[in-house]
Amino acid sequence: MHEMGIAQQMISIALEAIPKDLPDPRVEQMNLRVGRLAAVVEDSLRFCFEIISKDTCLEGAKLVIETVPVKARCRRCHHEWEVEDVVFTCPSCERGEIEVLSGRELEVASLELAD
Amino acid sequence: MEINIQKRVLEANESMADKNRRLFREKGVFVLNMMSSPGSGKTETLCKTLQRLMPEVATGVIVGDICTRNDADRLEATGAAVVQINTDEFGGDCHLAAHLIEKSALTMDLEALDLLIVENIGNLVCPAEFDIGENAKAVVLSVTEGEDKPLKYPLMFQVADIAILNKIDLLPYLDFNAAEAVDNMKKVHPGLPVFELSAKTQEGMEPWVAWLRDSVAKKG
């Protein structure tokens, strides 16, 4: 439900990253990394991005989203695994003291500009 | 041409949250972010909690809703310092972001407070994503919701430090399986402390209030 705010932040991060001395820059693609645990609805984000990028150099840019899997590590037996369902118990020692290593990302990775 | 960025989208909120955290630490106030779906009984739980805590523990509440100040009126009756945020003015947001918390907190006499509770907007999704500079996060689930809510909204139960299962007075009238609900919470977050209580009848209130008192005392 906060995808519009996220799309706004994405655009300002992009605009800040584009060198100021670049004449008439046009962004062809934005690469994002979104963890599976992040509270973001992809369709909604694409829709918001399309609307809010209008009249900026990101208008019409392709949004490429890399989904980051949820990975966890057990603090007791140090087993590392990918959490497929939402059960956060160590499958190796069946204990519960775990550390989430990835899956909450929400990052602008890079931009691809037209030459 | 490719520009490498690698920047977190919520970085602005995160640095604001860190700023809040520094402010709260400096003022010696323990901050609890309370979250749940709408209608789980956050406000009623807080009212009953404040009746037990006040005036020994000087408490302030920041309460977020899209519209109305109904919750603030109920909470003010307990004698707590209350600030209502209506996100309608800020675009009908689904969560309280760190900058809104700063704005409200600065209107309060933080020096005089031991505890600041933020009653977030009723929503099991978005508030989980936004750090506000709190010391702990609590999630409230009520027995009129489903046992599988923790599995449907894993992030909320993952990030919570404690959980409350509210409205247990209704259990005899429902098919709700409390043990299964608690089990689901612990699947998503092993070791999560769960307080089963009824804000209405006040059954089970004391362990939760004791946890709060203890957290405030530890904070010094």
Side-chain angles (χ1 to χ4, degrees):
Chain A
M1 275 182 274
H2 51 273
E3 279 78 1
M4 191 53 98
I6 287 174
Q8 254 165 346
Q9 288 290 327
M10 281 159 46
I11 305 257
S12 55
I13 288 172
L15 293 178
E16 234 169 77
I18 298 170
K20 299 284 167 283
D21 51 0
L22 211 61
D24 194 24
R26 196 168 59 80
V27 178
E28 287 187 326
Q29 186 171 314
M30 178 186 266
N31 297 312
L32 272 187
R33 299 179 76 231
V34 180
R36 281 190 62 198
L37 266 181
V40 173
V41 180
E42 195 178 312
D43 281 347
S44 169
L45 186 61
R46 286 183 189 284
F47 176 71
C48 295
F49 179 77
E50 203 183 307
I51 292 173
I52 207 150
S53 62
K54 283 219 166 76
D55 301 321
T56 73
C57 63
L58 286 102
E59 180 168 350
K62 192 171 154 197
L63 202 57
V64 176
I65 300 177
E66 180 202 338
T67 306
V68 184
V70 183
K71 288 202 177 142
R73 179 169 47 212
C74 177
R75 288 187 208 270
R76 294 235 180 161
C77 74
H78 308 293
H79 175 64
E80 277 186 32
W81 77 101
E82 186 178 333
V83 183
E84 292 283 359
D85 43 32
V86 291
V87 178
F88 287 82
T89 307
C90 175
S92 175
C93 71
E94 295 180 353
R95 294 260 176 70
E97 287 170 44
I98 66 134
E99 185 181 354
V100 179
L101 301 174
S102 70
R104 290 202 58 193
E105 293 77 0
L106 184 51
E107 296 166 2
V108 178
S110 60
L111 296 178
E112 285 168 36
L113 271 68
D115 293 321
Chain B
M1 176 178 151
E2 185 171 347
I3 301 177
N4 188 34
I5 300 182
Q6 311 296 343
K7 203 167 172 186
R8 292 194 310 279
V9 176
L10 298 179
E11 200 174 77
N13 185 71
E14 286 156 15
S15 41
M16 193 68 235
D18 286 337
K19 194 177 161 203
N20 288 350
R21 221 181 318 277
R22 283 194 297 273
L23 172 73
F24 297 144
R25 197 185 305 134
E26 194 185 298
K27 303 286 182 189
V29 54
F30 181 84
V31 182
L32 180 75
N33 181 4
M34 229 172 149
M35 301 171 283
S36 79
S37 49
S40 67
K42 278 191 302 298
T43 309
E44 185 63 14
T45 304
L46 273 185
C47 286
K48 297 289 171 60
T49 303
L50 293 173
Q51 283 169 12
R52 287 168 186 250
L53 283 178
M54 299 275 291
E56 288 80 10
V57 180
T59 308
V61 183
I62 294 175
V63 54
D65 281 297
I66 292 176
C67 295
T68 83
R69 49 169 293 120
N70 296 348
D71 285 357
D73 294 342
R74 285 166 67 190
L75 289 160
E76 251 162 16
T78 66
V82 181
V83 175
Q84 172 86 53
I85 299 178
N86 286 137
T87 62
D88 200 14
E89 296 162 35
F90 305 92
D93 248 336
C94 48
H95 63 276
L96 295 178
H99 68 278
L100 293 182
I101 298 303
E102 188 209 29
K103 201 175 157 190
S104 304
L106 290 178
T107 67
M108 304 174 98
D109 182 8
L110 292 176
E111 296 279 359
L113 294 182
D114 304 312
L115 171 65
L116 176 62
I117 300 176
V118 177
E119 185 186 331
N120 220 309
I121 293 167
N123 179 343
L124 276 180
V125 186
C126 316
E129 194 74 83
F130 289 84
D131 186 2
I132 54 171
E134 69 278 61
N135 295 98
K137 294 179 199 281
V139 58
V140 184
L141 181 71
S142 64
V143 302
T144 50
E145 301 169 62
E147 294 96 342
D148 59 352
K149 282 286 185 289
L151 305 179
K152 287 182 170 169
Y153 303 95
L155 181 63
M156 179 59 80
F157 291 86
Q158 247 291 302
V159 300
D161 297 291
I162 64 124
I164 289 175
L165 184 64
N166 192 20
K167 307 190 189 180
I168 58 167
D169 55 301
L170 294 176
L171 283 172
Y173 315 105
L174 302 168
D175 291 330
F176 188 89
N177 185 332
E180 193 185 325
V182 172
D183 192 49
N184 284 339
M185 291 187 201
K186 297 201 177 194
K187 265 186 194 160
V188 175
H189 187 154
L192 178 72
V194 183
F195 299 107
E196 298 179 42
L197 58 86
S198 161
K200 187 180 174 179
T201 65
Q202 306 217 33
E203 181 189 350
M205 282 293 283
E206 206 37 53
W208 141 251
V209 175
W211 177 85
L212 255 183
R213 270 200 202 100
D214 202 42
S215 304
V216 173
K218 274 186 197 150
K219 172 88 182 161

